[in-house]
Amino acid sequence: MDQKKSLSFKEFLAVGSLLFGMLFGAGNLIFPPILGQNAGSAYVPAALGFLVTAVGLPVLATISFALSRKDTLRGYAERAGKGFGLAFSLLLLLSIGPFFAIPRNTTVAFTVGIAPLLSGDQGLPLLIYSSVFFLLTLFFALRPSKILDVVGKVMAPLFILLIASLILKNLFTPMGNPLAYPAQDTYLAPFKQGVLDGYQTMDVLACLAFGITIVTNVHMLGIEEAKPTARETAKSSIFSLLVMSALYFGLSYLGATCQGSMAAQENGGQILVQASLHHFGSFGQVLLALTITVACLKTAIGLVVAISQTFVKYFPQGPSAKSWSYLIVLVSFIFANFGLNTIIQLSLPVLMFLYPLSITLIALWCLDAVLPLRDRAFSLTIVLAIIPALWDFLAACPPALSKAAWAQSILALPKGVLPLYEVGLGWLLPVGLGLLISAICFRAPRAMTGERAG
């Protein structure tokens, strides 16, 4: 019997909606509006820069996972070494899961969607909200075979409908004219700043964690061979790219117009709250609370499912996927109640370390698909990425550590040597050199493609 080679249009939309549904969370909602406010008349180039790192790189990450033909993040990373593969994948999964990303989704949803409706101390309301949030997350996460139906076919379309109502309302009756508000501070170089702002979504890390879930669902739809899987995953990712791009532009425009009806706000969440009030009155606050809760809930469900499935593969003699789901939800619940500021402070150094390594792996796998590489190409380039990533990690640590004399002497070493080091992109030149050396010196014979080449 012939193997199925492609998805139907309905299946293509379902998988694309699943990726979007798991990926587009609270952070994706709050960053574009503040970008638009600060960029003002320059919101278009700023939004285009944002799309490079908030849409382009995450989609490329998903495609690279499919191209790797691996069934775990560990397998994806261990081309650079087995020890690195295990350490990197565990650190990424814990960061994008129970330690930082899942709790952040919960606390952002509460801070933006629920807190404006309350007054007084918010410790107990956060405890109650996070309890309900994680009970719902666990309910759906324990039914992973239904995730395509729950997230892809229900929650993602519901979220798009809710947020699109606010975007369209502002499009037809804008709060102000963006051309009346000049770009501020770093947004005088709007495209560059937009690129940097896109990193804050952390979606590249999420896509590497979600890779197994997307590929598994493509297999469940009847496509089992590696090349058709990669091709159909890429096609579905493009659907997500288009939807996310439209939403990002709409939210950036909303932020660019907001000063016509409100004072400058400190963050994108406040802009969304005020914009909802402006366009829909008190009903707008309820609409926003529902929108951001749905956005965060679907992302949390996707993360719990992806990480629990991955841990079962890592530790086949250990807990079941159901047990891992319980544990991930419990740890996430505990961290969520530390509060949003604590979560962000703890996560930033780790994320500044992981991001360069993740982008390097994506670039290597994409290059490997065109010019098959030996494993040593991965090892060399990752080593060149780790060194500046460690500098970024130290620089992002709390002042008690990063401002110490010994730390300052270490952080002074790359200044004036690595281009873009001051803006956290000092790894670009070393990684670029590693990719060039790999393409020239560490090519693998095409007969070895798909096998491990040393």
Side-chain angles (χ1 to χ4, degrees):
M1 182 176 178
D2 292 337
Q3 291 288 335
K4 185 176 179 180
K5 298 296 183 181
S6 62
L7 299 176
S8 68
F9 182 72
K10 182 178 179 181
E11 291 169 338
F12 155 76
L13 289 179
V15 175
S17 183
L18 172 62
L19 177 60
F20 167 82
M22 293 193 302
L23 194 61
F24 203 97
N28 308 76
L29 275 174
I30 64 176
F31 292 126
I34 195 67
L35 174 148
Q37 174 189 274
N38 294 333
S41 59
Y43 82 94
V44 172
L48 288 173
F50 188 86
L51 294 183
V52 171
T53 44
V55 177
L57 280 178
V59 169
L60 199 59
T62 307
I63 294 172
S64 74
F65 193 95
L67 289 171
S68 73
R69 306 181 185 183
K70 303 298 182 180
D71 61 356
T72 66
L73 177 61
R74 178 181 180 179
Y76 177 89
E78 71 178 3
R79 282 287 299 273
K82 290 187 176 180
F84 171 80
L86 179 60
F88 170 83
S89 58
L90 286 177
L91 182 59
L92 187 148
L93 289 169
L94 291 173
S95 299
I96 206 69
F99 286 175
F100 304 131
I102 297 176
R104 188 185 76 169
N105 265 279
T106 311
T107 52
V108 168
F110 174 81
T111 301
V112 176
I114 305 299
L117 305 175
L118 307 174
S119 60
D121 180 71
Q122 296 178 353
L124 181 60
L126 173 59
L127 180 65
I128 296 172
Y129 177 84
S130 59
S131 298
V132 175
F133 183 96
F134 282 116
L135 284 173
L136 288 172
T137 299
L138 184 63
F139 176 82
F140 290 114
L142 292 177
R143 295 157 178 80
S145 63
K146 300 295 185 181
I147 191 172
L148 184 61
D149 293 325
V150 173
V151 175
K153 297 180 180 179
V154 178
M155 287 191 174
L158 174 61
F159 164 73
I160 293 173
L161 176 64
L162 292 171
I163 196 61
S165 64
L166 178 60
I167 291 174
L168 290 174
K169 178 67 174 178
N170 187 72
L171 180 64
F172 290 110
T173 57
M175 291 178 284
N177 182 0
L179 298 179
Y181 312 108
Q184 304 172 28
D185 301 325
T186 55
Y187 289 88
L188 293 172
F191 184 84
K192 175 184 174 182
Q193 187 58 43
V195 169
L196 297 176
D197 286 348
Y199 285 120
Q200 298 181 71
T201 65
M202 301 301 171
D203 284 345
V204 168
L205 307 185
C207 278
L208 292 180
F210 289 148
I212 182 176
T213 303
I214 299 300
V215 171
T216 297
N217 275 275
V218 172
H219 290 332
M220 289 172 59
L221 292 171
I223 298 179
E224 299 180 0
E225 295 180 10
K227 289 184 178 180
T229 297
R231 183 185 64 247
E232 297 307 305
T233 300
K235 287 165 59 178
S236 298
S237 298
I238 292 172
F239 168 79
S240 298
L241 181 151
L242 294 174
V243 175
M244 291 172 68
S245 297
L247 292 178
Y248 282 144
F249 261 107
L251 290 168
S252 298
Y253 179 72
L254 183 146
T257 66
C258 72
Q259 294 185 72
S261 64
M262 69 183 78
Q265 302 294 308
E266 293 183 358
N267 60 63
Q270 294 173 344
I271 294 174
L272 289 173
V273 170
Q274 296 301 318
S276 297
L277 281 170
H278 174 84
H279 286 300
F280 299 113
S282 58
F283 171 72
Q285 285 188 309
V286 178
L287 178 66
L288 180 62
L290 178 60
T291 300
I292 203 162
T293 297
V294 170
C296 295
L297 185 62
K298 61 184 177 51
T299 301
I301 293 168
L303 283 168
V304 172
V305 171
I307 296 171
S308 61
Q309 289 177 343
T310 301
F311 280 177
V312 167
K313 290 180 178 292
Y314 282 17
F315 310 106
Q317 304 304 317
S320 64
K322 181 177 180 180
S323 298
W324 279 119
S325 295
Y326 277 109
L327 182 59
I328 291 167
V329 167
L330 176 61
V331 175
S332 299
F333 170 76
I334 294 171
F335 272 69
N337 282 276
F338 287 160
L340 182 58
N341 291 338
T342 300
I343 294 170
I344 293 174
Q345 184 180 33
L346 292 174
S347 66
L348 185 58
V350 178
L351 296 173
M352 289 300 291
F353 176 73
L354 285 174
Y355 231 89
L357 305 185
S358 301
I359 296 174
T360 300
L361 284 171
I362 294 167
L364 283 164
W365 275 113
C366 290
L367 179 61
D368 182 73
V370 179
L371 302 172
L373 302 173
R374 297 181 182 274
D375 286 357
R376 66 191 68 175
F378 282 72
S379 302
L380 169 68
T381 312
I382 284 295
V383 167
L384 292 175
I386 284 177
I387 297 172
L390 286 171
W391 278 318
D392 290 338
F393 170 86
L394 182 58
C397 285
L401 182 61
S402 61
K403 299 301 182 182
W406 65 269
Q408 287 295 299
S409 62
I410 293 175
L411 293 174
L413 294 175
K415 290 182 179 179
V417 178
L418 286 179
L420 301 178
Y421 167 73
E422 299 290 346
V423 294
L425 298 175
W427 53 271
L428 278 176
L429 178 60
V431 168
L433 289 174
L435 293 172
L436 180 60
I437 293 171
S438 298
I440 296 173
C441 302
F442 298 125
R443 299 271 298 278
R446 288 204 173 268
M448 300 179 69
T449 303
E451 303 176 4
R452 294 188 62 83

